[in-house]
Structure formats: C-alpha cells, structure tokens
Amino acid sequence: MSYLKEAKTSKFDRDPALASPLAAAISVQDRETLAMVASALKNRRMRLAFQPVVYAGDPSIIGFFEGFIRLLNLRDQVIPARDFMAAVEEQQLGREIDCAALQLGLMAMQRNPQIRVSVNMSARSVGYRPWVEILRRALQDSPRLGANLILEINETSALQVPDVLKPFMSDMREHGIVFALDDFGAGTTSLRLLQELKFEIAKIDGSLVKNVDRSPDGQAVCRAAMAVAEELGMYVVAEAVETEGEATWLRDAGVGCLQGYLFGPPTVTPDFRAFRHGRPNFKS
C-alpha cells in the first residue's frame, strides 16, 4: 500500500477529500477502486460465483458450494477483491459487501432449494442490523433455508468479538445453520475461544495445503492443524487444492472435503443440477 508524500503545503489544505484517515493512507488508485466498489454496490452490479466443495473420497459428489462475491465496474469487468478487501474490511463498505453476498446466496438457495451453500461473513456483521435483518427475513419467509446454509467466518475475525458471536451462533443453530472457520491454521488460534464457539467446520488454509504432498514439514503442520480441528469436533475441509498429489495426500490423511481449482473454479453460471445431495455430517 503506497502512502501519500507530504509536500510543503499539506494535502489536507488542498484536498478536502483526504480528510479521513483511510483516504490519507491509500493512493489515488486505491481511492478510485473504492469508489468503483461503492458504485457497484449502489447500482447492484454484483454476482455470486460458486465453487464446488467435493467429497475427498468421491470428488464426483459435491457436498456444498461456496459463494464468492464478484463486484463489477462500469464495463462489467470484475473488480479484483485483492484490490479492495483489506481497505474495506473494517469500513461500512465491508458490511455492505457482506450484505450483498448473503442476499445473493439466499436468493440462489431459494431458486434452487436442493443445494447447500456457504457464504462468507465478518464476525462484525453480527452487529450490523441490515445484515441480520436480511438473514432473519429469509429464515422467516423460507424456514428450510437454514438447513442448507453455511456461514464462513475468518479465524482472525471470529476471535475479535467472541462475546457477540457466541449467542448469535447459538441462535442461528436453532434454524439449522452451521458455521465454518475459514483460513484455519494460518493465524493465531485461541483454543479456548474456539472450544466455546464450537464451529462445525474447519477449512484448512490454502497456505498449508500447497505442495503438502512433497513437503514433510508441510505435512507435519497440516496434520497438526487437522488434529486440533478434529479434537474440537470440527469437520475438516481443505482449501485451495490444485494438484492430484495434494488431493491424494489430503484424502489419505483423513480430510473430509476438498475445494480448489482442481475440482472447478468459482463460476457465476454453475450447473446446480450436478449437485448430489451427499450432505456431510457437520454436527458432532
């Protein structure tokens, strides 16, 4: 991230648009990207791309789909998430992106009641009324949706507000919703808090999966993460699987489901007819 160089006359004197700490910390290009993101949200230029998550034992069976938000610029080109996610994570735009992803995921499930979908969220969205209202309204209108919905929460995010997240998760479980801990093993883990939150699914971070079949050190780390997840009663899914060697090692190590380009990229035009309702048992 590039920072603005200070001139003899402060930019704050010349450009009122730089009055916020966020604007002062990012480049002109970054601010233009955020403006495109805000415009895409306002004008509903968004899609959800679905990636299959398959059984390790039989990759022809899809356990569920993960939905990834895609925001489009005025030329209907995807705005790369890496260009804006870090900047918006703690901002209002981040909450609005969570709302858009949730709404699109729920709409897909309403149109295709046979599928199971996971949607990414931030733990802070639990305190964001519009996001909660979207979820509760959908559950009220279509009570069976809950049994097919998985909410994915980044490990770092989950451990920021456990006191808020814990009662929310307990409430949503009454509707059949299960929770996945995303990027597991990549950050700092609080075993006590994870034990209290009781995630049903642990998604092993792709950094632990890469070349795991050819790296004894990587295998040791991956096995350790899996052991922790299993000890806490979580069903193990491996992310970012790209080679047959990785898939074979992970399957032999006992991973339940696999996700990655080896089994299909995220697409806005998924063939939901291919979904075979295997329904992994996520509940211990």
Side-chain angles (χ1 to χ4, degrees):
M1 187 176 292
S2 59
Y3 287 78
L4 298 171
K5 295 181 179 179
E6 185 170 304
K8 292 182 179 179
T9 303
S10 171
K11 276 244 179 184
F12 292 104
D13 296 331
R14 303 198 309 271
D15 188 355
L18 295 179
S20 75
L22 174 63
I26 60 180
S27 68
V28 172
Q29 181 178 354
D30 291 332
R31 284 187 282 120
E32 289 175 350
T33 299
L34 294 185
M36 284 194 294
V37 169
S39 174
L41 289 168
K42 179 181 178 180
N43 295 291
R44 306 294 297 175
R45 294 195 306 274
M46 62 187 75
R47 302 285 188 275
L48 208 62
F50 295 88
Q51 185 173 39
V53 181
V54 304
Y55 278 93
D58 185 354
S60 70
I61 301 178
I62 299 172
F64 61 97
F65 294 90
E66 179 176 355
F68 296 92
I69 191 70
R70 297 290 188 256
L71 302 178
L72 309 177
N73 61 24
L74 291 173
R75 296 187 295 276
D76 282 340
Q77 299 169 325
V78 173
I79 306 169
R82 64 178 179 273
D83 289 354
F84 63 84
M85 287 306 295
V88 305
E89 191 171 5
E90 301 300 326
Q91 308 298 321
Q92 175 74 9
L93 278 178
R95 307 290 80 76
E96 293 176 10
I97 290 171
D98 280 355
C99 285
L102 177 62
Q103 194 164 47
L104 291 171
L106 292 169
M107 288 170 60
M109 293 168 63
Q110 288 169 332
R111 291 192 297 266
N112 304 274
Q114 82 280 11
I115 65 173
R116 197 171 201 177
V117 171
S118 71
V119 177
N120 289 277
M121 61 170 286
S122 164
R124 295 186 183 277
S125 290
V126 173
Y128 186 55
R129 181 173 294 179
W131 186 91
V132 176
E133 288 178 351
I134 289 170
L135 179 56
R136 293 195 179 278
R137 187 164 55 248
L139 293 173
Q140 183 176 2
D141 294 343
S142 305
R144 294 183 180 180
L145 278 183
N148 287 337
L149 177 62
I150 301 167
L151 293 176
E152 292 198 20
I153 308 172
N154 177 279
E155 183 177 10
T156 302
S157 174
L159 299 180
Q160 287 178 346
V161 286
D163 293 340
V164 176
L165 194 56
K166 185 176 179 180
F168 169 78
M169 293 172 70
S170 178
D171 183 19
M172 289 300 105
R173 287 187 174 108
E174 296 296 319
H175 297 277
I177 295 173
V178 301
F179 292 86
L181 186 63
D182 201 12
D183 302 331
F184 183 67
T188 302
T189 296
S190 169
L191 298 182
R192 179 184 62 80
L193 287 176
L194 291 185
Q195 188 174 38
E196 291 179 5
L197 293 172
K198 300 184 185 302
F199 282 88
E200 285 86 2
I201 303 168
K203 300 190 74 177
I204 303 296
D205 187 72
S207 64
L208 277 62
V209 169
K210 187 174 179 61
N211 298 323
V212 69
D213 56 312
R214 296 186 281 117
S215 169
D217 290 342
Q219 292 169 12
V221 173
C222 197
R223 283 199 182 97
M226 291 173 59
V228 171
E230 290 166 356
E231 186 67 25
L232 293 173
M234 293 189 282
Y235 185 96
V236 178
V237 176
E239 301 179 303
V241 182
E242 296 185 352
T243 70
E244 290 286 356
E246 293 168 352
T248 298
W249 188 91
L250 291 162
R251 181 184 64 245
D252 293 345
V255 169
C257 280
L258 305 172
Q259 178 180 1
Y261 277 76
L262 180 63
F263 309 103
T267 174
V268 297
T269 56
D271 182 6
F272 288 138
R273 294 173 301 175
F275 181 76
R276 291 165 57 185
H277 225 339
R279 299 192 66 82
N281 181 19
F282 296 134
K283 298 182 180 180
S284 57

